[in-house]
Amino acid sequence: MEQKRENWGSRIGFIMAAAGSAVGLGNIWRFPYLTGMNGGGAFIVIYLGCVVLVGLSIMIAEFAVGRRTQLAAVGAYKTYNKKWSFAGVLGVLSGFFIMGFYPVVGGWSLYYIVKSFTGLLTVPEAIGDIFGAFIGSPVQPIIWMLIYLAVNVFIVARGVSAGIELAGKILMPILYVLLLIVTIKGLTIPGAGAGLSYLFVPDWSVVTGGTFLAALGQAFFSLSLGMGCMITYGSYLNKEEKLPNNTLIVVSMDTSVALLAGVAMFPALFAFGMEPAAGPGLVFVVVPQIFAQMGGIGPLFSAFFFVALFIAALTSSVSLLEVCVAYLMDEKKMDRRVATYGTSVVMAVLCALSSLSLGAMSGVTIFGVGAFDFFDILTDKIFLAIGGMLLAIFVGWFLKKEDLKDELTNGGTLSFGLFEVWYNIIKYVIPVLIGIVATVGILSIEQTSLMIFGILIIVVLAIFSKKL
Ligand code: PHE
C-alpha cells in the first residue's frame, strides 16, 4: 500500500529545518577560517556575491523541483528524465561523503563543551597542543563522534515532523541567542575595531582565482546546495507555501549566522593579537584562547560557544543523513528506521577512518590525502559545485518554463515578479559562471589523481544513469 508522504507540520517548522540544515559547521567553523585564510573583507564581498547571484536562485530551483515532484533528489530527477538520475545519485553520494567527516568535527564540539570546564582554558599557550593531541588520539574523538552520530540517528529515526522539524524549532533560536551573547562579549573587548575593519574593509590585492572557487564552494556548502538536500526538504512542503519568500528567509538566516560568527571571533582575535589565518583549527584553537583571556567567566562563554557550534552542526548533519534516508525510502522502498540505522553504521565507519587519518593512521593516504581531507576536498571542491551546475542546466533547459512558473507562483495564485530574472540566471548565468569557476578551480586541485577520480565518478554515474 502506498504510504502518505511525510510533511512539515508548519511553515515555521519548515523554515527552521531548512535554516537548520544551512546553518552549520560551514558557518561557524569553516566561514571564519576561510575568511582568515583568504584575506578578510574581499573574500566576504565575493562570498556575498555568490550567495545572492548563485545561492538564492539555486535554492529556489531546488525547492521548486522537490515540491513539484514530492520526491527526494534521485526520484525528482527521474520523474522528468531517467537520463538525469545520476545528478540525484551524485547528490546522495555527496551527502554520504560529507557525513564521512562532518560528525568527526561535530564530536569535537561536544568534547569542547565538556572540556571548557575541565581545564581547556587554564593555560592559553597549551590550547593548540591540547587540540592537536585530542584530534590525533585514536580512541577519544571516535567515541565523541559516535555520541554525536547517535543523536542524529535518534532525530532522523523519529521522522520529518516529530524529529527534524521539532529539533530545528527548539535548537535554532537557542543557537541565535548563544551566538549573540558571545558576539556582544567579543565586541566589547577594547581594540575590537581592527577585527571589524579586517572583516568589512576589503583589500582587493589579496584576491586570486582561488578566492572565487573558495567563495563559490563555500556558498554551496553553507547553503546546503548542489546535493539534493533542499530538493528533499522541498518535497515535504505543502502547496500553499511561497517558495521565493521562504528561500529569502533561509538564505538571510544562513548569511547572518556566518557574519555573526565572523563578528564573534575576529574583533577579539585582533584585540588579543592573534593570527587570523590559522586554518581549520581557528575555532578550536584561537577561539578558546580568547575565552581564556576573559578570566573567570571564560569557561561559561566557551561552553556557550561550543554548544552553539554543536547545535549548528547537529541540525545540518541531520539533513545530510535525511538525504540518504529519503533516497532509500523513496527509491528502495526501505523503512525509515532501517534506512537510518543502516546508513549511519556505514557513516560511522567512514568517520572513524577520517578521525584516524588525523593521527594514528596519518600515513595512510588515498589519492595523496588522508580520509578526512579526501571526503572534504571531493565534496567541497568537486561534487557540490558540479551538482549545482547540473541542477541549473536541468531546470533551465529540460523543464518546461510554464511548469516552473506554475510551481513558483502556486498555480498563479501569487506573484513572483522576478520570475524572468530568476529563470535567465538559472538558464544562462549559473551554468556559464560555475562552468568557468569550477573548471579553473578543479584543475588547480593539487592532488591530480584525486581530481581525476572525482571527475571519473561523475562520468561513470552519467554513463550508467538509466540503471541507477
Ligand atoms: N550547510 C551545512 C553547513 O553549513 C552543511 C551541509 C551541506 C548540509 C550540504 C547539508 C547539505 O554546515
Side-chain angles (χ1 to χ4, degrees):
M1 199 185 81
E2 238 348 75
Q3 265 204 338
K4 194 180 166 314
R5 189 165 191 78
E6 293 178 82
N7 249 295
W8 302 112
S10 65
R11 167 158 195 247
I12 192 79
F14 159 69
I15 289 179
M16 288 302 173
S21 167
V23 175
L25 293 174
N27 306 59
I28 307 183
W29 169 60
R30 218 146 186 257
F31 177 76
Y33 89 68
L34 282 179
T35 303
M37 286 171 67
N38 287 286
F43 175 80
I44 296 192
V45 173
I46 297 171
Y47 172 74
L48 292 178
C50 291
V51 167
V52 174
L53 195 62
V54 181
L56 261 177
S57 302
I58 298 239
M59 195 182 287
I60 293 179
E62 288 206 11
F63 282 150
V65 168
R67 186 172 70 171
R68 186 101 188 150
T69 56
Q70 296 282 300
L71 286 168
V74 180
Y77 275 107
K78 216 187 250 176
T79 309
Y80 290 109
N81 192 330
K82 275 204 108 172
K83 279 197 209 115
W84 277 83
S85 303
F86 80 102
V89 174
L90 181 66
V92 176
L93 209 58
S94 308
F96 196 67
F97 282 163
I98 297 178
M99 282 301 273
F101 71 93
Y102 206 94
V104 176
V105 184
W108 298 349
S109 70
L110 270 180
Y111 171 75
Y112 262 57
I113 298 173
V114 179
K115 193 77 184 160
S116 293
F117 296 108
T118 54
L120 175 67
L121 311 178
T122 30
V123 187
E125 301 75 41
I127 295 173
D129 294 338
I130 294 180
F131 176 66
F134 169 67
I135 65 167
S137 67
V139 183
Q140 262 209 341
I142 295 187
I143 294 178
W144 288 103
M145 175 274 290
L146 290 174
I147 301 174
Y148 177 86
L149 204 51
V151 184
N152 283 270
V153 171
F154 174 76
I155 296 174
V156 173
R158 286 175 59 98
V160 172
S161 120
I164 301 174
E165 178 172 353
L166 188 65
K169 271 199 299 204
I170 299 175
L171 296 176
M172 289 307 285
I174 302 181
L175 164 71
Y176 262 97
V177 173
L178 291 178
L179 208 55
L180 266 178
I181 296 177
V182 179
T183 308
I184 293 170
K185 180 73 200 161
L187 281 176
T188 53
I189 296 172
L196 288 180
S197 46
Y198 179 79
L199 283 179
F200 296 115
V201 183
D203 169 8
W204 296 107
S205 68
V206 294
V207 172
T208 64
T211 320
F212 284 90
L213 181 71
L216 185 73
Q218 172 62 12
F220 273 101
F221 187 85
S222 186
L223 294 167
S224 305
L225 298 176
M227 53 152 290
C229 182
M230 294 307 181
I231 299 182
T232 307
Y233 274 23
S235 76
Y236 304 133
L237 197 56
N238 68 44
K239 294 284 180 194
E240 283 80 55
E241 285 306 333
K242 303 172 182 165
L243 297 180
N245 296 25
N246 286 333
T247 306
L248 196 61
I249 298 176
V250 173
V251 170
S252 310
M253 286 175 75
D254 186 70
T255 309
S256 62
V257 172
L259 293 176
L260 214 54
V263 175
M265 276 172 228
F266 283 94
L269 197 128
F270 275 80
F272 293 131
M274 282 181 272
E275 184 48 46
L282 184 75
V283 162
F284 292 96
V285 178
V286 177
V287 173
Q289 290 186 359
I290 298 172
F291 296 123
Q293 317 241 12
M294 287 179 182
I297 46 159
L300 193 64
F301 278 99
S302 171
F304 279 166
F305 181 83
F306 288 105
V307 170
L309 187 63
F310 164 67
I311 290 177
L314 181 64
T315 48
S316 297
S317 46
V318 155
S319 74
L320 288 159
L321 181 55
E322 176 66 15
V323 168
C324 303
V325 169
Y327 161 71
L328 293 172
M329 288 171 68
D330 282 355
E331 301 306 308
K332 309 286 170 207
K333 305 296 167 223
M334 239 184 228
D335 171 66
R336 171 172 282 278
R337 278 167 199 280
V338 176
T340 310
Y341 300 147
T343 26
S344 49
V345 168
V346 187
M347 286 165 180
V349 174
L350 298 186
C351 284
L353 290 175
S354 283
S355 182
L356 290 172
S357 77
L358 302 174
M361 278 172 44
S362 59
V364 185
T365 57
I366 346 169
F367 302 114
V369 290
F372 190 105
D373 292 335
F374 171 76
F375 294 133
D376 184 18
I377 297 175
L378 198 60
T379 49
D380 174 57
K381 293 230 161 74
I382 307 178
F383 284 4
L384 295 189
I386 300 290
M389 183 171 82
L390 290 173
L391 179 91
I393 295 174
F394 178 71
V395 170
W397 296 87
F398 289 83
L399 299 191
K400 286 207 201 75
K401 194 173 172 185
E402 307 81 70
D403 281 355
L404 291 165
K405 186 150 196 178
D406 183 68
E407 193 59 36
L408 289 173
T409 57
N410 294 2
T413 57
L414 48 96
S415 71
F416 175 30
L418 293 173
F419 178 80
E420 288 295 331
V421 177
W422 169 80
Y423 186 72
N424 284 304
I425 290 182
I426 285 284
K427 188 165 178 147
Y428 301 106
V429 180
I430 291 183
V432 174
L433 197 75
I434 300 187
I436 296 171
V437 178
T439 312
V440 174
I442 291 174
L443 290 178
S444 71
I445 294 177
E446 280 163 43
Q447 302 78 8
T448 320
S449 55
L450 174 55
M451 171 191 93
I452 295 172
F453 174 74
I455 296 173
L456 218 58
I457 290 191
I458 301 175
V459 173
V460 170
L461 287 179
I463 293 174
F464 293 104
S465 196
K466 283 192 179 164
K467 298 209 165 55
L468 295 170

